[in-house]
Amino acid sequence: MSTGFDALQSHATRLRGTPLSALLAREPDRIAAHTLRSGPLYFNFARQSYDTAAWHALLAQGEDADLAGAFRRLFDGEKVNVTEGRAALHTALRGQHSDAVVAREAYATALDVRERMSALIAQLEASDVTDIVSVGIGGSDLGPRLVADALRDPLPRRFRVHFLSNVDGAAAQRTLAPLDPARTAAVLISKTFGTQETLLNGGILRDWLGGSERLYAVSANPERAAAALDIAPDRVLPMWDWVGGRYSLWSAVGLPIALAIGFDRFEQLLAGASAFDAHVIGSPIADNIAVRHALTAVWNRNVLGHAAQGVMTYDQRLALLPAYLQQLVMESLGKSVRLDGSPVGIDTVPVWWGGAGTDVQHSFFQALHQGTQIVPLDFVGTVRNDDPYAENHLALMSNLLAQSEALANGQASDDPHRSYAGGRPSTMILLDALTPQSLGGLIAMYEHSVYAQSVLWGINAFDQFGVELGKQLANGLLPALKGETEAKDPVTRALLAEIAARG
């Protein structure tokens, strides 16, 4: 792959200093050539800083890496998670796009669990419960929280759904204080049911509720759920080792989503993701949106050397998308060794961050426009609004368009303090409207882009061993905080002494 990167570097050298406006002028068909659509999703890559020749060189990288074959292996349930010897069959949770036996069986299993989800929701709807507390962390929290917030109606539906993730007791106190334990149920989500945060918060919920009768769980370890918090098996929905946590919102982990927005709309979310899956598995890589997004990311990271990537959502309902993508992208691609354990030899994931416009224009956009580091951006907007405030939506959209244009083109001035260099690349993503289908497709796009990047870099997108060391040390330090043992690290010992003196 290094030879290919050398070729890409020659294109970067050739294009260095070329304004994005000059690329548009040179290539009359540039906008059409760099625009792609899948259902309700529109993608415009015309403000990325490659020209046709560089794009063709990038595309050759995708062909050399056999991205089409890699996607087929993913959908067919081959063990693409090689370090853990597992498949990654999240696509089978939302649709049937493979004739492979393992994929068809996974899809049938997912359908069975959805029936159980529907039955549990019906039971809750027939009860006096008005509020649901969803307890989980990481992939057991960020996906459901994003979707429930993005798609909730202005007024609650049958249930008000609240999310509790942090082990900090203040979070539990603030979540529970306004609720009535007699009218509340809780869903505890943990694959192993050994996650410290979920067990501690689950214990708080059990005591606050006065027992486990209104505790529900989603876990691959129902026996541990029963032993830890006495949750009956008929209130436990399964997870599987062939679905990673950050890819799991399509499974029973989505129970809080279905409770928040309705089971019918949850199924529409799955249908939207499945429709994008069909695009990915059925499109040649030159027309494949996820491949285009992934190759653009590789260009910006490895060829141009940009160390950060932003995502700006010009729809307040998508304000949690940057936090969700931080985990999806950085946990998946934050690797420094290849599949065979050898050093990867190139930079992998950039730092992902972002926020919701127009708020962010009044916080960190100064650095994006005039700072010394270029940060490529994904802009995400919705064409049609669902609120009655049409003038506000027009103002929002004008700011979305203006920021992308200003970052790309800049503005010269005799006063250097008022000069904008421009040349800041971005991709424009427009949803026809924010619906379960469009949101499902958008999330699926990012999942597939992440996988394609991992294939291009030769790394595993589906393990996350990097999160374990800190958790292991934290478990070992609990006795030290209680004064029962002494920490080995001298700085930690000094910090423990300070905490003991001030506690």
Side-chain angles (χ1 to χ4, degrees):
M1 194 167 181
S2 59
T3 302
F5 273 106
D6 292 342
L8 293 174
Q9 288 291 350
S10 69
H11 285 287
T13 300
R14 175 177 57 80
L15 292 168
R16 185 172 296 125
T18 304
L20 288 169
S21 57
L23 295 180
L24 283 165
R26 289 179 193 172
E27 301 177 336
D29 63 343
R30 179 178 178 84
I31 295 172
H34 294 284
T35 296
L36 295 168
R37 174 177 280 276
S38 175
L41 302 173
Y42 166 94
F43 293 79
N44 188 314
F45 296 89
R47 285 186 171 134
Q48 292 293 338
S49 53
Y50 43 66
D51 63 2
T52 299
W55 165 243
H56 286 157
L58 268 172
L59 194 58
Q61 290 287 305
E63 292 168 343
D64 290 345
D66 188 24
L67 287 179
F71 279 121
R72 176 45 65 196
R73 292 190 292 275
L74 175 78
F75 279 81
D76 284 350
E78 295 188 22
K79 293 180 179 179
V80 293
N81 181 355
V82 297
T83 57
E84 297 179 298
R86 298 172 179 168
L89 270 169
H90 46 281
T91 55
L93 298 172
R94 56 211 190 201
Q96 189 166 275
H97 299 282
S98 171
D99 291 328
V101 172
V102 64
R104 294 176 69 87
E105 290 177 347
Y107 178 66
T109 300
L111 288 179
D112 289 342
V113 172
R114 290 219 294 273
E115 288 185 8
R116 288 187 58 195
M117 281 179 63
S118 179
L120 286 180
I121 292 170
Q123 291 175 16
L124 282 165
E125 288 176 339
S127 74
D128 294 330
V129 169
T130 57
D131 291 88
I132 306 290
V133 179
S134 177
V135 180
I137 197 164
S140 298
D141 173 75
L142 289 166
R145 191 190 292 257
L146 161 67
V147 177
D149 188 60
L151 297 178
R152 66 180 174 86
D153 293 331
L155 293 174
R157 287 194 165 209
R158 171 64 178 82
F159 301 107
R160 292 179 296 241
V161 178
H162 316 269
F163 290 89
L164 177 59
S165 59
N166 202 312
V167 74
D168 189 340
Q173 184 182 42
R174 290 186 174 187
T175 300
L176 299 180
L179 305 181
D180 178 359
R183 300 177 68 83
T184 301
V187 180
L188 312 183
I189 305 173
S190 174
K191 178 179 284 189
T192 63
F193 232 81
T195 306
Q196 181 189 53
E197 295 91 342
T198 303
L199 286 174
L200 286 170
N201 284 328
I204 290 172
L205 262 296
R206 178 195 56 198
D207 295 344
W208 181 78
L209 290 169
S212 62
E213 291 76 15
R214 291 193 304 283
L215 287 183
Y216 298 77
V218 181
S219 179
N221 196 336
E223 295 81 9
R224 186 176 287 182
L229 294 168
D230 194 28
I231 304 175
D234 62 350
R235 296 199 305 276
V236 181
L237 293 172
M239 298 171 67
W240 311 279
D241 64 7
W242 40 267
V243 178
R246 57 194 176 277
Y247 301 90
S248 66
L249 70 89
W250 322 101
S251 70
V253 172
L255 177 59
I257 298 173
L259 289 164
I261 69 173
F263 189 77
D264 56 337
R265 299 179 80 212
F266 175 70
E267 292 205 305
Q268 292 167 22
L269 178 84
L270 303 185
S274 181
F276 195 86
D277 291 341
H279 163 81
V280 166
I281 204 68
S283 300
I285 69 168
D287 301 321
N288 189 314
I289 294 169
V291 169
R292 174 71 68 108
H293 192 272
L295 289 171
T296 299
V298 167
W299 171 263
N300 284 326
R301 183 68 176 121
N302 297 119
V303 184
L304 302 185
H306 299 317
Q309 166 72 40
V311 56
M312 308 301 159
T313 63
Y314 277 71
D315 189 313
Q316 184 65 34
R317 296 168 295 178
L318 293 173
L320 296 179
L321 181 64
Y324 170 78
L325 291 177
Q326 280 180 334
Q327 189 202 21
L328 174 65
V329 181
M330 295 177 71
E331 192 166 270
S332 298
L333 299 179
K335 314 292 168 60
S336 57
V337 296
R338 294 171 60 84
L339 295 174
D340 61 5
S342 63
V344 69
I346 53 175
D347 287 326
T348 57
V349 69
V351 174
W352 270 71
W353 62 296
T358 58
D359 285 342
V360 291
Q361 295 173 198
H362 298 269
S363 56
F364 53 73
F365 262 49
Q366 167 64 38
L368 298 181
H369 282 287
Q370 292 187 311
T372 58
Q373 297 292 313
I374 292 177
V375 179
L377 301 180
D378 281 0
F379 283 103
V380 183
T382 52
V383 175
R384 297 193 300 273
N385 63 312
D386 297 316
D387 59 71
Y389 309 113
E391 286 299 318
N392 287 61
H393 187 67
L394 291 175
L396 181 69
M397 295 300 287
S398 69
N399 277 275
L400 167 64
L401 298 174
Q403 291 298 326
S404 176
E405 181 179 325
L407 287 162
N409 298 337
Q411 180 174 281
S413 173
D414 293 335
D415 181 352
H417 299 286
R418 291 174 171 80
S419 179
Y420 296 79
R424 269 67 171 165
S426 66
T427 296
M428 181 64 69
I429 304 171
L430 296 176
L431 286 62
D432 291 347
L434 182 55
T435 65
Q437 292 91 338
S438 65
L439 182 58
L442 180 67
I443 294 172
M445 190 286 297
Y446 277 108
E447 288 179 347
H448 289 308
S449 174
V450 163
Y451 176 59
Q453 289 172 67
S454 76
V455 173
L456 290 162
W457 287 326
I459 62 177
N460 185 2
F462 301 110
D463 64 21
Q464 60 278 336
F465 298 121
V467 305
E468 295 301 324
L469 177 59
K471 295 189 334 189
Q472 294 167 9
L473 290 174
N475 289 333
L477 286 172
L478 274 174
L481 280 161
K482 296 175 182 178
E484 298 169 358
T485 61
E486 187 175 77
K488 296 178 181 178
D489 182 85
V491 175
T492 302
R493 285 200 301 272
L495 294 171
L496 285 166
E498 180 66 17
I499 291 167
R502 303 295 177 183

